Amino acid sequence: MSKRVLTTESGAPVADNQNSASAGVGGPLLLQDQHLLEKLARFNRERIPERVVHARGSGAYGYFEVTDDVTGFTRAAFLGEVGKRTETFIRFSTVADNLGGADAVRDPRGFALKFYTEEGNYDLVGNNTPVFFIKDPIKFPDFIHSQKRDPFTGKQEPDNVWDFWAHAPEATHQITWLMGDRGIPASYRHMNGYGSHTYQWTNAEGEAFFVKYHFKTNQGIRSLSADQAAEVVGKDANSHQTDLLQAIERGVNPSWTLYVQIMPAAEAADYRFNPFDVTKVWPHSDYPLQRVGRLVLDRNPDNVFAEVEQAAFSPNNFVPGITASPDKMLQGRMFAYADAHRYRLGVNHTQLPVNAPKATVADNYGRDGAHATRYGSRHDKNYEPNSYEGPAQTDAPLGAPRELSGWTGTYANAAHVKDDDFFQAGELYRLMSSDEQARLIANIAGGLSQVTRDDVVEKNLAHFHAADAEYGKRVEEAVRELREDQ
């Protein structure tokens, strides 16, 4: 059996990897020790900027298998045949904390899925909640600033968190989700995933439909109370990573069943809620869940940095038959996500193995830039159109067009008949059992009672009162009791 030889980055053999070169025994080190300098210089550059949000994450490979015919709604090839399998990569994450943060904390979880389809990569970037805190992307940087570490104290501050929410009544629905029993999943395997946004599907006949994605865990929902989570964090801050890694290594492959809600495009304008408002859900009584297939995770990454930290998901990575809707938050994320990856990983991040297409080949006129690995042959041209049989457009749009009208300007979301910021939060509260409601109240009051400004507390209490009279009264009483004890 041949012995592997340690080499430098340029491939030259290394004679001694234990001792630096020096001017005699005990003398100063030599600048000519190329191996030492290369190791130290590379070590200094081993970290890249962490994600501003979703920094702490875990990932796994798997496959998606179609179980039900949806060709009447979309012409996407990877959904075109019952039994068809497509390789996938998923990244789970917490949202607010830094790369070294704990897993078992109260925070939404990212649920970002990459399908390596034969028509290109399709990225579905969602969360473990069907709604979000805000409905317009112009508020996103401010929202995240309020949830991240304070620039003076260096830690998350209840004053900042609740002050932003006091000025964002549309967040009441998501707050009710986050502070409820599902706010701290027991593991990534034991939570649902949602596309959250509304997307557009187009079938082979050119008919358009709006859809919402629901990945239902086949392991069952399991969550942690605040006390249980504190115990878990104390024992293993990487609890979700540990669980996912060990489950797949044991061959206990986690899986989810994908369902979609489907709305014919013509019904969107007159629907009772704005169907493109990510702070709201579509009631299942209006648009029932329709099964599509199952997602199975069966392989751990070989290298967390290369395959999880460098994984890049962009909600503008569509395939024929799937496109965007007028959802404002989705529209903003279609720029922000891709731009974040260009900053963190470079303009050629799509050529990294975890991000590159697997069932097809990227073929375009993008050239050069840092870490470029795709050059083509010496006869390939880097402009289009050309006379040398380079790649050319298909003239086939990804999806059906939408008619637009109106004057340019800044507008609030168009109000539908039953649009408001509180109704669905109240419905969610009333769906909970008495025990669930009690825990929800305790979780909200625990944070809101720490806010130092009375006017911020009052503004937040008004939102809960507007959602449901009992909900607001119970939160108000719990906050008052906790503040009196402080």
Side-chain angles (χ1 to χ4, degrees):
M1 182 176 179
S2 61
K3 183 179 178 181
R4 294 174 61 186
V5 174
L6 177 65
T7 75
T8 64
E9 293 292 325
S10 62
V14 173
D16 191 338
N17 195 44
Q18 314 305 318
N19 304 288
S20 302
S22 62
V25 177
L29 301 187
L30 300 178
L31 187 62
Q32 71 183 42
D33 189 345
Q34 183 266 346
H35 181 50
L36 169 65
L37 301 186
E38 182 177 81
K39 285 186 70 175
L40 294 180
R42 181 178 180 86
F43 181 73
N44 285 344
R45 293 161 174 81
E46 281 185 356
R47 294 296 172 263
I48 60 177
E50 71 174 38
R51 290 168 168 85
V52 176
V53 288
H54 297 278
R56 170 67 187 154
S58 302
Y61 291 96
Y63 63 86
F64 178 79
E65 181 177 11
V66 179
T67 58
D68 296 77
D69 183 9
V70 290
T71 55
F73 306 106
T74 179
R75 61 186 177 93
F78 79 100
L79 298 176
E81 182 182 352
V82 172
K84 185 166 187 173
R85 289 188 177 186
T86 299
E87 184 179 356
T88 62
F89 181 79
I90 194 167
R91 186 178 186 272
F92 304 105
S93 56
T94 53
V95 175
D97 212 346
N98 298 96
L99 187 58
D103 286 341
V105 294
R106 188 171 300 280
D107 200 11
R109 300 300 190 276
F111 195 98
L113 187 59
K114 188 181 296 291
F115 298 83
Y116 299 103
T117 90
E118 66 266 47
E119 296 178 299
N121 291 350
Y122 171 46
D123 290 353
L124 182 59
V125 180
N127 287 321
N128 71 328
T129 62
V131 292
F132 196 61
F133 296 94
I134 54 176
K135 63 182 74 172
D136 194 301
I138 203 166
K139 299 174 72 170
F140 189 75
D142 300 294
F143 164 61
I144 293 301
H145 287 167
S146 75
Q147 310 297 302
K148 298 284 278 187
R149 297 175 185 271
D150 182 86
F152 173 67
T153 66
K155 60 190 182 72
Q156 191 180 55
E157 292 292 344
D159 275 350
N160 300 350
V161 171
W162 289 96
D163 185 36
F164 181 89
W165 287 343
H167 294 88
E170 71 267 31
T172 309
H173 192 186
Q174 174 74 319
I175 293 169
T176 305
W177 269 90
L178 179 62
M179 298 300 175
D181 278 2
R182 297 190 184 187
I184 312 178
S187 79
Y188 290 132
R189 296 184 296 129
H190 294 92
M191 68 181 194
N192 291 340
Y194 302 89
S196 301
H197 298 291
T198 300
Y199 295 88
Q200 180 177 303
W201 279 6
T202 304
N203 66 17
E205 288 71 42
E207 297 174 295
F209 304 85
F210 294 117
V211 300
K212 283 186 174 290
Y213 295 89
H214 302 250
F215 288 86
K216 300 289 189 178
T217 176
N218 295 325
Q219 290 70 238
I221 296 288
R222 284 184 52 207
S223 303
L224 302 174
S225 68
D227 290 341
Q228 290 171 327
E231 183 178 352
V232 168
V233 169
K235 293 179 178 178
D236 181 7
N238 306 302
S239 57
H240 288 26
Q241 165 69 13
T242 301
D243 176 85
L244 182 65
L245 175 74
Q246 293 182 351
I248 295 175
E249 288 297 290
R250 295 196 312 268
V252 182
N253 297 331
S255 66
W256 289 257
T257 300
L258 171 61
Y259 299 87
V260 292
Q261 290 177 282
I262 300 177
M263 175 189 293
E267 297 180 13
D270 297 322
Y271 186 53
R272 55 196 175 115
F273 307 115
N274 180 353
F276 311 118
D277 180 349
V278 74
T279 69
K280 294 181 174 64
V281 298
W282 300 353
H284 294 179
S285 57
D286 292 347
Y287 297 99
L289 296 180
Q290 301 187 45
R291 193 176 67 176
V292 179
R294 65 181 185 128
L295 169 69
V296 179
L297 305 182
D298 59 5
R299 180 165 65 90
N300 284 309
D302 293 325
N303 185 289
V304 172
F305 176 79
E307 298 166 272
V308 180
E309 185 64 13
Q310 293 194 126
F313 301 84
S314 299
N316 55 1
N317 286 343
F318 293 116
V319 292
I322 304 177
T323 49
S325 78
D327 181 331
K328 285 187 176 182
M329 282 299 297
L330 173 60
Q331 295 280 329
R333 282 173 165 155
M334 286 170 64
F335 163 76
Y337 277 56
D339 189 58
H341 304 321
R342 295 183 191 105
Y343 162 67
R344 291 183 61 246
L345 303 170
V347 70
N348 289 306
H349 66 274
T350 54
Q351 297 177 28
L352 295 169
V354 69
N355 299 322
K358 295 182 183 295
T360 186
V361 175
D363 193 4
N364 56 51
Y365 297 95
R367 293 290 187 274
D368 305 337
H371 313 305
T373 60
R374 189 178 69 232
Y375 301 105
S377 75
R378 61 182 178 178
H379 300 297
D380 284 348
K381 304 302 178 183
N382 65 342
Y383 57 87
E384 197 277 336
N386 63 59
S387 305
Y388 295 85
E389 299 182 348
Q393 65 195 44
T394 65
D395 294 321
L398 295 182
R402 290 190 304 273
E403 182 179 355
L404 303 175
S405 63
W407 298 93
T408 61
T410 56
Y411 299 98
N413 278 348
H416 289 227
V417 176
K418 291 189 176 181
D419 264 341
D420 70 38
D421 292 326
F422 308 109
F423 177 76
Q424 291 198 352
E427 284 199 322
L428 179 58
Y429 172 79
R430 291 185 289 273
L431 282 173
M432 296 179 179
S433 69
S434 58
D435 288 344
E436 288 176 312
Q437 289 177 346
R439 290 188 290 269
L440 169 69
I441 301 302
N443 291 333
I444 292 174
L448 189 54
S449 64
Q450 299 177 54
V451 174
T452 59
R453 289 182 56 132
D454 291 342
D455 60 331
V456 173
V457 174
E458 292 301 321
K459 286 177 181 177
N460 278 285
L461 290 176
H463 297 167
F464 299 119
H465 280 290
D468 181 274
E470 178 192 280
Y471 188 9
K473 180 182 178 182
R474 292 178 67 181
V475 173
E476 183 172 1
E477 291 174 349
V479 169
R480 183 175 63 249
E481 290 177 5
L482 288 173
R483 297 186 87 189
E484 288 174 351
D485 292 339
Q486 291 174 1

